[in-house]
Amino acid sequence: MKVFKFGGASVKDAESIKNVYNVLQQVGHTDVLLVISAMGKMTNALEIVIKNYIDKSPELQSSVQDIKKYHNQILLDLFDNEAHEVFTVVNKLFTDLEYFLKNNKSPNYNFIYDQVVSTGEMLSTTIISQYFNHKGIQNQWIDVRYYIKTDTTYRDATVNWEETQQRIAKNVARKTLNITQGFVGSDENNFTTTLGREGSDYSAAIFAYCLNAESVTIWKDVDGVLNADPRYFDNTKLLNKLSYREAIELAFYGASVIHPKTLQPLQRKEIPLYVKSFINPLLAGTSVNKGAGLEPHTSCYIVKKNQLLISLSSLDFSFIMEENISEIFALLHEYKMKVHLIQNSAISFSVCIDDKFNNFTELKKLLAKKFKVTYNENVSLYTIRHFTTKSVDTVAQNKEVLVKQVSRETMQIVTKEKT
C-alpha cells in the first residue's frame, strides 16, 4: 500500500477538496490509505471552543455555531442534494460534541482538549469520504481510534506499538482506498487521545510501518522540503533529496515540514518518504531515502519563535554539578518543558525551552529555591545546518545574540530583537 497524508491547508474548503479528488485521479488511488487533518484552521477554532467552555463563557454556543456554519457551507458547495446522508452524519458528530460539552465531568484540561479537538478530523474525513463516494471513488472510512492505541498522556500520547500493529495489520483492507484521521488515537478506555500538534504526519508513518507500505507521501502547498521557511527567509531552495539521517536532524531541530516523530518508524523499515505539491502533483518533490545525502548541498535554516531562555546560577557561587543538572532536568520533564538548547559553565546553566503548556510560572518558583533564576521571554532560536559565515551573518543581522553554540555541522543562535 501507499500512504498519503493531506494536511489542513489541502482540505480547507470545497475547492480544495475537489483538488484532492483531482490529485488522486492523476496519481492513482487503488491500494492507498489517506490520512487527513482537520480542515483549514479548524484545530484553532476548536481550541477557542475549549477556552470558552473552560471559562464558562457565554460565547461558547456561538463558537460552536461558527464551526457548524463553516462545515455546512462546504457541504452545500460539494453536494447538490441537501437530503444526502452526509448531512445527517455530520450533524451526529456535532450532536456528540455538544453532548460532551454538556455532560463532561472531568476537570482535566488536556483530556477535554483531546475529546473536543479531535472533532475536526472526524468531520473532515467524513465529508471527504462521502464526497469521494458521491464522485465515484469508492472508499472505506475508518475510525483511527480503533487502530492507533496509546497511553493516557492527553495532547501528547505515546503509541502502544504492539497493539497498534496488530490492529492495523489485521483490519485495514487492501486493494481499496481507505480514509482515516491524522493526529488522533485512543487509550485503553477508548477515550480519544492526540499525538501532539502536527501529528498527522506521524499518524501516516505509523500506518506505513504497520502495513509495510511501499511509500509515504505528504502533500503540501509547497513543491517539497525547502532549505528554510519562506515566511522568514528569502530565496529559499528546494531540497531534491535527503537522507533519513539529514531529515531526522532537521526534524529534531524543528523543521516544520516534517514532524519530529515521523521519520523513525519509516527509517526502521526503509520506507521512502516523499514531500510533494498538491498544486502540482506530478512534480518530483523531495524524496527522503536511505543514504540519499543532501541534494543540493546548502545551508538549511530552522527558526523557533516565542521561546524562553532560562539561565540558572548557584546562590553561593558553587559549581553546577551533575547532581544539579539531573535535578533541573527532572523538573523540566515534570513540567513538560521542551528543551531545544543547553549550555553550561562552571557556575551557570542555560536552557532554551518551549513552554508549550504554560507551566513556567510554577516551575520558576521551585527553581528559585535553589538557584538564581534569570530569563528572557519571546526569544528566537535559529538552527543552521551546514552553516557558513554568510549564513550566520544573515541570521544575526539586526539582532542581539544571547547564546551561540557550534558543532561540526550545526550552529544554534538564540536572539532577541534589538530595542
Side-chain angles (χ1 to χ4, degrees), residues 306-308 335-338 353-361:
N306 302 315
Q307 301 294 289
L308 181 64
Y335 284 84
K336 298 183 179 180
M337 299 292 179
K338 178 65 176 175
I353 64 171
D354 190 350
D355 183 15
K356 178 180 177 181
F357 296 96
N358 298 315
N359 289 331
F360 177 61
T361 300

Side-chain angles (χ1 to χ4, degrees), residues 401-418:
V401 176
L402 303 177
V403 176
K404 183 183 290 187
Q405 191 161 276
V406 183
S407 62
R408 182 177 297 177
E409 292 282 350
T410 305
M411 179 178 289
Q412 291 188 283
I413 305 172
V414 179
T415 71
K416 69 175 183 178
E417 299 298 324
K418 288 183 177 179

Side-chain angles (χ1 to χ4, degrees), residues 221-241:
D221 56 358
V222 292
D223 289 341
V225 178
L226 304 177
N227 72 322
D229 189 329
R231 293 176 297 175
Y232 306 118
F233 295 90
D234 297 325
N235 303 315
T236 57
K237 298 178 182 178
L238 176 67
L239 303 176
N240 301 318
K241 294 181 180 180

Side-chain angles (χ1 to χ4, degrees), residues 53 99-108 111-112 191:
Y53 172 77
Y99 181 86
F100 174 81
L101 294 173
K102 183 178 180 180
N103 294 282
N104 169 60
K105 299 296 190 293
S106 173
N108 183 337
F111 171 81
I112 296 167
F191 288 116

